[in-house]
Amino acid sequence: MEIRKVVIPVAGWGTRSLPASKNVPKEMLPIFKKPVVQYVVEEAMQSGIEDVVLVTNQNKRIIEDHFDHNFLLEQLLERAGKKDILEEVRRVAEMVNIITVRQKEQLGLGHAVLCAREVVGNDPFAVMVGDDLMFGMQPGIGQLIEVAVAEKTPVIGVMEIPAEKVNRYGIIDGREYAPGLFRVRNLVEKPPVGQAPSRMAIVGRYVLTPEILRFLAEQKPGHGGEIQLTDALQRLADECGLLAVKIHGQRFDAGDWVEYLTANIYFALQDEDLRYDLVERLRVLLSCPA
Ligand code: UTP
């Protein structure tokens, strides 16, 4: 099994990020110096993936433009002698081969993945949710690819979450056959608190085999009236087998304001030039009465 393509759905409305996301896709909102989706694409690149299939809609053109040249800007930076930033701007334009497909109606994450069917063809592929960020010693999707290749089985990424948050995620019921590795029996989309089979939540990383596309095509709308990827994963688990890997690292859901802001601080604190001033500023803010 070899994973060359990743499908990154970025076609959702991003209602939780309004009004910021009214005309700027939430996947293009900045986290420190880069847009959210650039972190996701970089994670894919670091994991050996060569082709990125962006599932977009008509308001999301600037996402593919971000991964292309802006020659006027590059000329201007060259003339101004701004070498470092010019290099960075060019690196982003050249880092990846982008293929875009449209999701014409926002019918859910499962439907967005199905929209990439023609491009994915008959090969196994990765899926990375476009507003879910992961950072660690090893890239999140790379951790899944390693297991999928070794076991020749589709794999989903999970993380342990607090019991009171299970109603925000797909949750797995599985047998832990090695530390952090599960054979998935059942998946439940957003179970009520107190009724979840575990605290292992599906986070936005998957390595899937082409059968999932057939299951998605036959899938009826599920939770929230959307075509849920989780429902098609249940069929994959039943008919082909499905593993889950506990991903090691930090995760930020950029569609959630607290997580989005924390991610900004996390990256800014890693910048030598900013850290001191930022910490000082935060210290003053925290000590001020509201
Ligand atoms: P979210 O679950 O965050 O949904 O999607 P959303 O609709 O964009 O955002 P909210 O909940 O209204 O704030 C996770 C990822 O899947 C994409 C989104 O763009 C996001 O990157 N997505 C979601 C699609 O591409 N199509 C869909 O129909 C739904």
Side-chain angles (χ1 to χ4, degrees):
M1 190 191 271
E2 202 181 358
I3 311 299
R4 293 226 189 86
K5 287 190 186 123
V6 59
V7 175
I8 306 185
V10 291
W13 281 107
T15 53
R16 288 174 298 158
S17 306
L18 285 167
S21 58
K22 186 178 167 206
N23 283 305
V24 177
K26 74 168 164 185
E27 297 82 2
M28 284 302 288
L29 295 178
I31 300 244
F32 190 38
K33 293 184 181 175
K34 303 187 231 174
V36 167
V37 69
Q38 187 176 329
Y39 290 96
V40 179
V41 168
E42 285 174 348
E43 182 188 325
M45 303 295 97
Q46 287 156 12
S47 307
I49 290 175
E50 294 160 9
D51 297 324
V52 169
V53 183
L54 285 178
V55 183
T56 69
N57 68 36
Q58 55 186 324
N59 301 317
K60 306 257 180 167
R61 284 195 198 102
I62 65 163
I63 301 180
E64 53 180 307
D65 290 348
H66 181 70
F67 295 101
D68 200 347
H69 285 285
N70 180 336
F71 289 116
L72 280 180
L73 175 66
E74 289 176 26
Q75 277 169 17
L76 179 123
L77 293 172
E78 195 148 28
R79 266 189 265 124
K82 298 190 171 175
K83 267 191 168 171
D84 288 356
I85 191 67
L86 173 63
E87 236 168 68
E88 179 60 13
V89 165
R90 283 194 177 139
R91 186 185 72 83
V92 176
E94 286 160 10
M95 70 165 59
V96 71
N97 179 25
I98 298 270
I99 304 154
T100 52
V101 296
R102 286 278 174 101
Q103 186 190 28
K104 295 182 182 171
E105 256 186 293
Q106 278 49 66
L107 299 177
L109 180 62
H111 180 259
V113 172
L114 181 61
C115 292
R117 179 168 38 179
E118 307 300 328
V119 184
V120 165
N122 228 1
D123 298 318
F125 61 102
V127 174
M128 297 169 76
V129 167
D131 61 348
D132 218 335
L133 303 183
M134 282 171 211
F135 305 96
M137 298 288 281
Q138 198 189 349
I141 195 68
Q143 296 175 41
L144 269 62
I145 291 175
E146 207 173 279
V147 175
V149 169
E151 305 276 339
K152 295 186 177 52
T153 307
V155 177
I156 58 175
V158 292
M159 281 185 167
E160 195 162 356
I161 54 153
E164 68 277 10
K165 291 192 174 166
V166 291
N167 56 356
R168 301 186 196 174
Y169 292 88
I171 303 289
I172 65 157
D173 166 26
R175 185 176 66 80
E176 192 167 10
Y177 68 97
L181 286 177
F182 302 81
R183 274 187 210 291
V184 179
R185 282 185 293 250
N186 291 303
L187 307 97
V188 199
E189 187 62 30
K190 301 188 173 74
V193 173
Q195 291 177 36
S198 76
R199 288 200 286 126
M200 286 298 165
I202 306 169
V203 289
R205 300 292 181 268
Y206 313 79
V207 176
L208 302 173
T209 45
E211 294 87 5
I212 194 80
L213 299 168
R214 181 163 52 88
F215 300 150
L216 281 169
E218 291 167 9
Q219 192 68 53
K220 299 259 176 324
H223 190 93
E226 295 190 339
I227 307 287
Q228 295 286 353
L229 183 56
T230 308
D231 296 338
L233 288 172
Q234 181 67 60
R235 269 190 78 187
L236 197 65
D238 293 342
E239 297 184 28
C240 310
L242 179 65
L243 302 177
V245 171
K246 192 171 169 183
I247 296 183
H248 298 285
Q250 288 283 350
R251 169 180 178 260
F252 303 103
D253 170 5
D256 173 286
W257 283 118
V258 171
E259 300 259 318
Y260 173 82
L261 295 168
T262 313
N264 272 285
I265 294 170
Y266 174 83
F267 283 104
L269 286 176
Q270 289 175 32
D271 186 292
E272 297 274 310
D273 297 335
L274 281 189
R275 188 188 306 134
Y276 179 80
D277 287 346
L278 179 64
V279 169
E280 278 310 298
R281 198 74 178 83
L282 288 173
R283 217 195 298 278
V284 173
L285 275 180
L286 288 169
S287 63
C288 275

